[in-house]
């Protein structure tokens, strides 16, 4: 380390997600998985592989030579001849500043999702702040959505989508910042043409949103103790500061990109079904409940439901790797039923939540 690096001051520090120094250097947390014999195993990237005895077929495709936006595709090992299966377009988390579609966390999770749900997954590698501030991540993600839509007539550049994709059953999904992106892509889908692609639903896992200082959802209010409220206020301050860092040109904390409840066009969300999943000990639990509440009251003509995993943090389904734990499998089974348009009756849903 030279003297310049040694004495450069930290000008932005968002926990372990990203540090920005006065000399322009950027440090991010490494992607990681859990090795149950040795503890945490640090691992930056997991390579894709079409022919692998352990993982499902996957491959990386650069969809733009101008922006270098890429996707990682996954498909089941076996698909019946002539069968068309749902497409899940997934946006990774990391609060717009860290993590990657090519990281071990997301490779393992998407592998599990595709195995369980029998879908084609398109995991989007968008550009991150501070090298590229918002709205770049939104524009990159929309470019990926349109690239998927270009295959609707089975004449696109990617054979897996042409041969196996069901463009009448396309879902946007994501966690943390990826949940925010998924919502905003669904908003764009409500107003912009996607050349035959039908957005059937939205899956938001602990999404990163802004919200009022106090929850507007009675359901959320009833569940919060004084300590919960204190932690939520602290997290809101962290969220708000981070939002203004990743999006310097934002209109503020009531920017509809950040706070869906402030969006006068929320009722035009471009799908009719939404599944929100929150973790009891996760940072974004309250905002997940608020999202459900504001969407339900917006005049949007659709169905939104929420699930909560008890005694877990927001990344439980990512770090709970091999074997998948009970909580993760409950979530994966629910997402599977959601993307295959199978809805449990209320009694079955209550048993699942318990």
């Amino acid at each position: 380390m030279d003297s310049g690096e040694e004495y450069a001051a930290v000008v932005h520090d968002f926990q372990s997600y990203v540090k920005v120094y006065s000399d322009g250097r950027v440090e991010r947390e490494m992607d990681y998985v859990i090795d149950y014999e040795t503890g945490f195993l640090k691992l930056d990237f997991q390579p894709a592989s079409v022919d692998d005895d352990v993982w499902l077929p996957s491959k990386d495709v650069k969809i733009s030579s101008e922006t270098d936006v890429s996707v990682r595709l996954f498909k089941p090992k076996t698909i019946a001849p002539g069968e068309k299966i749902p497409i899940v377009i997934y946006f990774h988390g990391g609060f717009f500043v860290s993590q990657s579609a090519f990281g071990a966390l997301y490779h393992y999770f998407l592998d599990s999702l595709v195995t369980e749900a029998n879908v084609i997954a398109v995991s989007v590698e968008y550009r991150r702040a501070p090298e590229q501030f918002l709205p770049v991540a939104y524009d990159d993600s929309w470019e990926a959505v349109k690239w998927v839509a270009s295959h609707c007539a089975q004449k696109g550049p990617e054979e897996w989508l042409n041969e196996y994709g069901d463009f009448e059953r396309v879902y946007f999904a994501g966690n943390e910042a990826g949940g925010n992106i998924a919502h905003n892509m669904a908003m764009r889908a409500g107003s912009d043409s996607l050349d035959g692609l039908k957005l059937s639903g939205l899956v938001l896992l602990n999404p990163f949103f802004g919200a009022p200082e106090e929850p507007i959802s009675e359901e959320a209010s009833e569940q919060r103790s004084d300590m919960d409220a204190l932690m939520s206020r602290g997290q809101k301050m962290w969220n708000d500061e981070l939002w203004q860092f990743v999006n310097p040109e934002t209109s503020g904390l009531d920017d509809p990109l950040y706070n869906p409840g402030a969006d006068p066009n929320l009722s035009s969300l471009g799908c009719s079904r939404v599944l929100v999943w929150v973790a009891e000990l996760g940072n974004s639990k309250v905002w997940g409940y608020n999202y459900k509440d504001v969407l339900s009251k917006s005049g949007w003509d659709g169905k939104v439901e929420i699930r909560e995993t008890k005694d877990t943090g927001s990344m439980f389904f990512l770090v709970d790797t091999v074997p998948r734990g009970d909580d993760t499998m409950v979530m994966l089974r629910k997402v599977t039923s959601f993307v295959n348009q199978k809805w449990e009756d209320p009694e079955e849903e209550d048993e699942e939540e318990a």
Side-chain angles (χ1 to χ4, degrees):
M1 178 180 291
D2 62 32
S3 59
E5 288 183 340
E6 184 176 357
Y7 294 105
V10 176
V11 292
H12 296 285
D13 186 357
F14 291 100
Q15 295 178 4
S16 59
Y17 287 94
V18 68
K19 285 184 180 180
V20 182
Y21 291 85
S22 58
D23 61 4
R25 285 184 297 119
V26 177
E27 290 182 358
R28 290 183 172 89
E29 67 172 1
M30 295 178 71
D31 200 2
Y32 64 90
V33 295
I34 294 180
D35 183 311
Y36 286 97
E37 293 183 356
T38 63
F40 282 97
L41 172 66
K42 294 293 184 179
L43 182 64
D44 280 315
F45 294 101
Q46 170 69 32
S49 177
V50 174
D51 185 14
D52 192 301
D53 292 335
V54 177
W55 307 108
L56 296 181
S58 62
K59 58 182 171 180
D60 298 335
V61 179
K62 183 182 289 188
I63 65 173
S64 171
S65 58
E66 295 181 0
T67 64
D68 286 337
V69 175
S70 301
V71 297
R72 175 165 290 183
L73 291 100
F74 299 77
K75 74 177 183 71
K77 286 190 174 181
T78 58
I79 303 175
E83 182 183 10
K84 297 290 187 178
I85 58 178
I87 301 168
V88 175
I89 304 177
Y90 195 88
F91 308 97
H92 70 80
F95 296 103
F96 298 106
V97 297
S98 70
Q99 300 181 14
S100 168
F102 305 143
L105 285 177
Y106 289 96
H107 185 94
Y108 297 176
F109 175 65
L110 269 296
D111 186 279
S112 295
L113 176 61
V114 171
T115 298
E116 190 71 20
N118 194 45
V119 298
I120 297 288
V122 182
S123 187
V124 180
E125 179 73 347
Y126 54 85
R127 288 172 289 175
R128 306 169 300 186
E131 291 87 352
Q132 297 288 339
F133 289 110
L134 293 179
V136 168
Y138 294 127
D139 294 338
D140 288 354
S141 298
W142 188 244
E143 186 172 12
V145 169
K146 291 193 296 183
W147 177 81
V148 172
S150 73
H151 295 77
C152 287
Q154 287 76 50
K155 296 181 180 179
E158 175 45 52
E159 59 179 338
W160 288 2
L161 291 172
N162 289 333
E163 187 170 356
Y164 304 116
D166 183 348
F167 293 91
E168 293 290 312
R169 292 187 292 165
V170 178
Y171 295 83
F172 296 164
N175 69 295
E176 292 181 350
N180 177 295
I181 292 173
H183 161 77
N184 283 295
M185 295 305 97
M187 290 300 299
R188 288 196 188 188
S191 58
D192 294 356
S193 172
L194 285 174
D195 302 319
L197 181 153
K198 178 182 178 181
L199 180 61
S200 294
L202 187 58
V203 179
L204 306 180
L205 310 176
N206 298 296
F208 173 73
F209 289 128
E213 185 69 34
E214 295 299 328
I216 62 174
S217 167
E218 182 179 351
E219 187 174 10
S221 298
E222 291 175 350
Q223 297 183 29
R224 287 173 56 186
S225 66
D226 291 340
M227 182 58 70
D228 290 332
L230 179 61
M231 292 174 65
S232 296
R233 283 194 295 271
Q235 185 62 36
K236 182 183 188 307
M237 293 174 62
W238 189 89
N239 280 15
D240 291 348
E241 182 181 353
L242 178 59
W243 168 251
Q244 293 177 93
F245 169 70
V246 299
N247 192 3
E249 297 183 0
T250 182
S251 60
L253 301 182
D254 282 333
D255 187 331
L257 294 170
Y258 180 53
N259 186 353
D263 190 345
N265 299 313
L266 185 58
S267 62
S268 67
L269 186 76
C271 63
S272 61
R273 301 165 61 228
V274 177
L275 172 64
V276 182
W277 203 285
V278 297
E280 182 182 21
L281 307 180
N283 294 332
S284 54
K285 168 186 170 181
V286 172
W287 298 291
Y289 280 105
N290 281 334
Y291 179 86
K292 174 181 180 291
D293 198 60
V294 297
L295 182 59
S296 298
K297 296 176 180 178
S298 69
W300 170 70
D301 184 20
K303 176 179 179 179
V304 55
E305 62 175 323
I306 193 163
R307 289 286 187 274
E308 180 179 333
T309 301
K310 303 297 184 182
D311 300 319
T312 61
S314 59
M315 296 180 67
F316 75 93
F317 58 93
L318 294 175
V319 298
D320 178 15
T321 52
V322 181
R324 289 292 180 188
D326 292 343
D327 290 329
T328 300
M329 291 309 302
V330 167
M331 188 192 77
L332 286 173
R333 286 193 293 268
K334 178 58 185 177
V335 174
T336 294
S337 70
F338 184 85
V339 301
N340 286 283
Q341 298 188 347
K342 298 174 184 176
W343 291 80
E344 298 87 345
D345 62 41
E347 291 184 2
E348 288 177 339
E349 292 182 351
D350 290 343
E351 289 176 2
E352 182 178 329
E353 286 184 331

